[in-house]
Amino acid sequence: MHGKSKYWVLLLPTAFIIGGVVLYCVNPERAVWMPPCLFHKFTGLNCPGCGTTRALHALLHGDIRAALRLNVMIVVASPLLLYASGRMIRQELSGARPEPTHPPAWLPWTIAVIISVFWIVRNIPVYPFTLLAPH
């Protein structure tokens, strides 16, 4: 492990574990100390992240259906994010320095478009789009 990187490689899994334990034990719908979504509070609309904390709580309890009803995007993205995090940690711990890979130029734009479309579509008050709003 190299200098600064050894800290984050320990911090990231520790943060995941602590956050997961807290989120497993605390129902976000009942926790008054958890901050509300300010975008939703001021506009009445759902941001792409609305329902994420409750969805992750449901996922940790094995309730995939509830998680999908709260935020389908985080349910789809969670395995990808965990895989990418695990891969980075494994590379850092092994000390392997593979050839640097750069994501294709279209990837960040594609992700931005997907998030933007999700943001817009989940706020259309017509069925079936209403299924994408947290409920």
Side-chain angles (χ1 to χ4, degrees):
M1 282 189 280
H2 302 348
K4 292 180 183 178
S5 62
K6 69 180 176 185
Y7 298 113
W8 80 262
V9 81
L10 297 173
L11 184 63
L12 188 62
T14 303
F16 278 153
I17 292 167
I18 292 171
V21 168
V22 169
L23 199 51
Y24 182 85
C25 295
V26 177
N27 185 339
E29 292 189 53
R30 295 190 192 109
V32 295
W33 53 270
M34 286 197 174
C37 174
L38 294 177
F39 182 80
H40 182 72
K41 183 177 179 179
F42 292 119
T43 66
L45 298 172
N46 296 302
C47 76
C50 280
T52 295
T53 308
R54 291 173 288 154
L56 290 173
H57 176 77
L59 276 177
L60 288 171
H61 285 273
D63 192 349
I64 296 172
R65 292 180 82 185
L68 287 168
R69 285 192 305 269
L70 292 163
N71 191 315
V72 69
M73 189 178 313
I74 197 64
V75 175
V76 171
S78 290
L80 301 172
L81 294 171
L82 285 172
Y83 170 77
S85 299
R87 185 172 177 216
M88 287 189 309
I89 291 167
R90 187 182 66 229
Q91 284 178 351
E92 199 62 44
L93 289 174
S94 71
R97 292 285 169 228
E99 281 293 316
T101 57
H102 301 287
W106 54 264
L107 185 60
W109 291 104
T110 302
I111 292 170
V113 168
I114 290 169
I115 292 170
S116 299
V117 168
F118 179 66
W119 192 343
I120 293 165
V121 170
R122 76 185 319 208
N123 286 292
I124 297 173
V126 176
Y127 182 85
F129 305 115
T130 52
L131 295 174
L132 294 174
H135 57 281

